[in-house]
Every structure is written in C-alpha cells, then in structure tokens.
Amino acid sequence: MKIRENRVLIATTNLGKLEEFKRILETPKCTFVGLDEFPQVKFPPEGQSYFENARIKARTAARQTGLVSVADDSGLEVLALGGRPGPLSARYGGPGLSDFERSAYLLSELETLGSVSRLARFVCVAALAIPDGPSFTEKGICRGVLLQEASGTKGFGYDPLFVPEGHERSFAEFSKNEKNQISHRGIALRAISAHLRKESFLS
C-alpha cells in the first residue's frame, strides 16, 4: 500500500509534546503537522488504558483527515500511589490545572503519606494509523525516582520532579536531545519511526 501524501499528522495540541515528536520522528520523507492545522478533528472520550487512548487518537485523526497519523498516551506511575496518576496524568488533580499545579498536587499526596518510596516510572504508548490501512502501537518505559520539590526549567508536565534511573538530574535539567535518548516517549517513538520509514507506507 503506497501513501502518496507525505504529511504526517501528530495528534496533539501540546506544543512541548509536538516538538518532541517532530525531533524524534524526523525523517526526510515526512513533513510533520500538528492538530492546530485541523481544528475540525474531534476525539471520543478517553478510556482507561494507554493502548486504548493512543489507538483511538491515531485512528480518529487518520480517519478524519486522510493523513497518516501518530498519537500517544503517556503517564507517570508512582509506586506509593498504587500506580497513579497513570493514564490520568494530564488531568490529575482536576480540570484546568497547570503543569505546576498538577505537580504540586502530586507532591502534596506523597507528603500526606509520609516517608514512602519515591520510585516512579514514565510510560508511553505511541500509535501509528494509516488511513484505510493498518495501525501499529509501541511502548516505552523510563524508570526513576521523584524529587521532593521541582528542579529545572526545561521540559513539561512532571519533568521537573522526575530523575531517571542512573542519573542525578531531573528531566527538566536535561537537554532535549539527552532526554529523547532515554525517555519513555523517545523509546516508543523511535520504534514508531521504523514503521514510518518503510517504503510500503510513504512514497
């Protein structure tokens, strides 16, 4: 199956995530565009699993735009919180909170529990959907620990709280390229990029 349209839709409105996608997926065959160019795309309510959410977003975007589409669902899983916030990470603590406010809410929960494990992991499931064709999913995991207070000004989401295993800096203190080499999203999207590069998909 040949796809002659070389634009690939990254199904997100998060500008930080959009830039990460473009940097990791970069291939001379593709021009990457974001959802800001397709305000008509409407997604159904999200489910309770990374796989379900990523597939729904990618398939919906591909069906409504006719473009090869890539989406992801990512989350932070904290051991002491029983794996929360997980797939609800982007909405944790209630609607309308900023990244800073969600991080503060998470830290307050841990403080309430007292002296507990700070072990956590980031999980990402990325999905690629071909219009009227197959779809693929790939998973990435990055393990680490949570700081007691935010550190660093780069990145987005919970990056200022998360120190990846084997390192002493938070993700918000990494350069973009450093982070992409080891992050959950970097792992998942590099696997998706391998699908994108196949001649059977893009001419």
Side-chain angles (χ1 to χ4, degrees):
M1 179 180 179
K2 284 284 187 178
I3 304 297
R4 299 195 177 279
E5 168 66 77
N6 71 345
R7 288 187 301 165
V8 174
L9 175 60
I10 298 173
T12 184
T13 56
N14 183 311
L15 295 180
K17 185 182 288 190
L18 178 63
E19 290 306 311
E20 277 195 3
F21 271 60
K22 288 180 177 179
R23 192 171 292 109
I24 298 167
L25 291 172
E26 184 178 8
T27 170
K29 290 184 177 181
C30 304
T31 298
F32 295 101
V33 295
L35 275 178
D36 57 321
E37 297 190 24
F38 300 92
Q40 76 277 13
V41 175
K42 304 298 181 186
F43 296 103
E46 292 191 339
Q48 296 297 312
S49 79
Y50 302 115
F51 282 98
E52 179 183 0
N53 291 337
R55 281 196 298 260
I56 287 173
K57 284 188 281 189
R59 287 173 175 170
T60 299
R63 184 175 64 252
Q64 294 186 20
T65 66
L67 297 181
V68 174
S69 297
V70 179
D72 88 312
D73 194 47
S74 302
L76 177 68
E77 298 181 349
V78 182
L79 180 62
L81 298 178
R84 298 196 316 271
L88 300 177
S89 292
R91 305 177 298 284
Y92 202 53
L97 296 185
S98 66
D99 286 350
F100 176 81
E101 290 168 330
R102 275 190 293 274
S103 294
Y105 178 81
L106 181 68
L107 288 178
S108 70
E109 283 198 309
L110 290 174
E111 289 171 7
T112 299
L113 292 175
S115 180
V116 295
S117 169
R118 310 291 289 195
L119 291 176
R121 68 178 190 173
F122 270 125
V123 178
C124 172
V125 173
L128 167 69
I130 311 298
D132 300 319
S135 60
F136 305 87
T137 56
E138 300 287 352
K139 185 176 183 179
I141 295 174
C142 182
R143 293 176 173 83
V145 297
L146 295 182
L147 297 169
Q148 293 185 331
E149 60 182 27
S151 180
T153 59
K154 303 172 187 176
F156 57 93
Y158 300 97
D159 285 354
L161 299 182
F162 184 81
V163 176
E165 194 172 68
H167 295 267
E168 298 181 352
R169 295 172 293 155
S170 78
F171 263 160
E173 296 173 289
F174 278 50
S175 71
K176 292 175 181 178
N177 287 336
E178 284 179 317
K179 179 187 173 186
N180 291 340
Q181 288 302 312
I182 64 170
S183 76
H184 53 306
R185 190 169 292 112
I187 294 168
L189 288 178
R190 278 191 292 276
I192 286 294
S193 183
H195 295 296
L196 272 177
R197 291 172 184 272
K198 290 182 179 179
E199 290 292 335
S200 59
F201 292 141
L202 295 169
S203 59

